[in-house]
Amino acid sequence: MSKIIYSGIQPSGVMTLGNYIGAVKNWRLMQDDPDHRCIYMLADLHTITVRQNPQDLHDNAMRFMALCLAMGIDKDRSILYMQSHVHEHCELAWLLNCYTYVGEMNRMTQFKDKSAKHADNINMGLMDYPVLMAADILLFGTHCVPVGIDQVQHVEIARDIATRVNNLYGDVFVVPEGVMTKVGAKIMSLQDPTSKMSKSDPTPNAVVSVLDTPETIVKKFKKAVTDSDTQIAYDPISKPGVSNLLTILAAATDRSVEATAADCRHMRYGDLKLATADAVIEMLRPFRERYDRLIADPAYLHEVAAFGAGRAREIAAPILRRFKQAIGFVLPRAD
Ligand code: TYM
């Protein structure tokens, strides 16, 4: 039986180098395994937990769809769709809410961080975000969820909720596992290498967008914060800046961090920055041209989204139905 691989990305702001290295690259690799059935989703419902400008949200969803395709997500081998096109997500999220405790949600790191950042808009959705994410995952009988480190806590809560439901009603849900890429599960900000590179970081030069021009990429890496000595070595605790550059270089050249650090140990910081920028430019170069072509063809992007949503619903609807039946609801007769 093939393994179901499921993951998602919020189409807000820009897609970052962290998103690509920590997640989307892995999505593409997993799609190449014939034993995998891959389902990838643009989590537009999740984005509105923080206020979004309507035009930006719309345009970003189209951009992220074009980017996923440009990066090699294959609409035929994988299922690629927008979360808001599949209403089963919201329905399952409601049901799962009734099997999730407020205390559990209060303890979520991202909820605490985002509540601090958006103190004027601590809405119910922000708190409920992990339940919607659990619904995303459980709706598809998912075995593996490829994510970066920051999403692991959310996958854990999805496991807890699935186990709780199964203990009450029998085997309703598959209990999923989070999987992380070996190199780059947490790419750090270029300006503050102790915090994650994040789409929403407004600090100039902190974040590399996958659509940045080569000149911009060089400029950002040149300005990257390094450490006070001059030694190149991989040590994320005492040398976070250099370690982040080594991680990015390793990921961009598909090598281990250890081998990369050994090769670079005699370089100066300036050389390491340029080598990393060059490797990133080469890694991203093929995407740019394909992206430009795809984003100019909204009709095609709509077609891909509709095709993906149709296939997603074929899997999601029976799983939702099974859960509703287990709870005891009277199911509507087919006819
Ligand atoms: P999002 O949109 O914040 O990020 C998408 C993916 O990119 C990873 N990521 C990173 N990896 C390495 N370094 C970084 N600096 C970095 N920043 C982000 C994230 O870990 C993630 O894998 N809640 C999710 C979207 C989602 C989802 C799901 C994911 C909704 N439903 C179901 C998996 C399964 C999110 O906000 O990801």
Side-chain angles (χ1 to χ4, degrees):
M1 204 188 84
S2 47
K3 260 192 179 176
I4 305 276
I5 312 294
Y6 188 91
S7 200
I9 184 167
Q10 287 192 67
S12 56
V14 294
M15 191 189 286
T16 71
L17 185 62
N19 291 139
Y20 178 66
I21 291 175
V24 181
K25 183 180 173 194
N26 220 7
W27 297 4
R28 185 184 60 231
L29 296 174
M30 296 187 99
Q31 168 190 261
D32 291 337
D33 185 329
D35 289 336
H36 288 169
R37 184 154 193 213
C38 298
I39 309 171
Y40 301 126
M41 171 275 280
L42 302 183
D44 50 0
L45 296 171
H46 276 98
T47 68
I48 63 165
T49 54
V50 172
R51 206 64 76 220
Q52 301 288 328
N53 171 288
Q55 189 66 49
D56 289 348
L57 174 56
H58 175 275
D59 295 350
N60 281 332
M62 297 295 271
R63 273 187 208 123
F64 274 62
M65 177 61 86
L67 271 172
C68 286
L69 294 169
M71 288 172 167
I73 303 304
D74 180 330
K75 70 168 179 62
D76 295 310
R77 274 190 296 156
S78 296
I79 296 178
L80 177 63
Y81 72 100
M82 298 200 191
Q83 190 182 26
S84 63
H85 292 187
V86 175
H87 63 73
E88 283 82 358
H89 287 272
C90 290
E91 190 172 349
L92 182 58
W94 168 257
L95 300 178
L96 295 181
N97 269 328
C98 303
Y99 300 84
T100 307
Y101 299 106
V102 171
E104 290 177 303
M105 296 297 100
N106 259 327
R107 285 195 292 275
M108 293 284 114
T109 313
Q110 199 174 77
F111 173 61
K112 286 193 266 187
D113 289 350
K114 287 203 176 171
S115 305
K117 236 195 237 163
H118 303 279
D120 57 337
N121 182 21
I122 307 177
N123 59 68
M124 288 301 293
L126 197 61
M127 189 176 194
D128 205 26
Y129 183 115
V131 178
L132 179 58
M133 184 160 155
D136 302 339
I137 296 168
L138 301 183
L139 204 43
F140 292 89
T142 304
H143 299 97
C144 286
V145 189
V147 282
I149 285 177
D150 62 320
Q151 295 300 320
V152 167
Q153 195 182 36
H154 293 156
V155 179
E156 286 300 314
I157 203 77
R159 286 174 63 84
D160 292 349
I161 297 171
T163 306
R164 187 172 299 150
V165 168
N166 288 351
N167 286 340
L168 284 166
Y169 301 112
D171 281 341
V172 175
F173 293 124
V174 174
V175 180
E177 263 177 56
V179 287
M180 280 184 288
T181 177
K182 279 201 193 74
V183 180
K186 190 172 188 186
I187 299 296
M188 310 308 269
S189 153
L190 296 188
Q191 288 301 307
D192 171 9
T194 59
S195 66
K196 189 190 76 163
M197 184 182 283
S198 156
K199 288 188 197 102
S200 53
D201 188 341
T203 317
N205 302 319
V207 178
V208 175
S209 156
V210 296
L211 291 174
D212 277 345
T213 61
E215 297 71 36
T216 305
I217 293 175
V218 169
K219 187 188 88 188
K220 287 180 177 174
F221 276 100
K222 273 189 177 166
K223 295 200 166 153
V225 169
T226 39
D227 314 298
S228 48
D229 63 9
T230 55
Q231 192 67 34
I232 292 186
Y234 183 73
D235 179 351
I237 305 293
S238 57
K239 300 179 70 62
V242 166
S243 301
N244 191 35
L245 292 178
L246 288 170
T247 303
I248 295 171
L249 179 56
T253 51
D254 283 323
R255 307 186 62 210
S256 71
V257 176
E258 293 73 22
T260 307
D263 277 358
C264 298
R265 69 186 181 284
H266 299 307
M267 280 186 182
R268 284 179 305 206
Y269 281 175
D271 299 330
L272 175 63
K273 289 178 180 182
L274 282 183
T276 309
D278 282 346
V280 167
I281 290 166
E282 283 317 308
M283 177 178 70
L284 300 177
R285 190 186 299 284
F287 306 148
R288 181 73 216 208
E289 199 185 308
R290 276 182 250 153
Y291 170 80
D292 286 343
R293 232 179 316 120
L294 287 157
I295 199 67
D297 191 353
Y300 177 70
L301 298 176
H302 276 287
E303 205 180 288
V304 171
F307 178 59
R311 290 164 76 207
R313 292 200 60 215
E314 278 172 22
I315 303 173
I319 293 179
L320 177 64
R321 192 179 157 89
R322 184 168 76 206
F323 184 33
K324 288 171 80 171
Q325 188 163 30
I327 295 172
F329 291 127
V330 176
L331 298 182
R333 289 265 159 87
D335 228 334

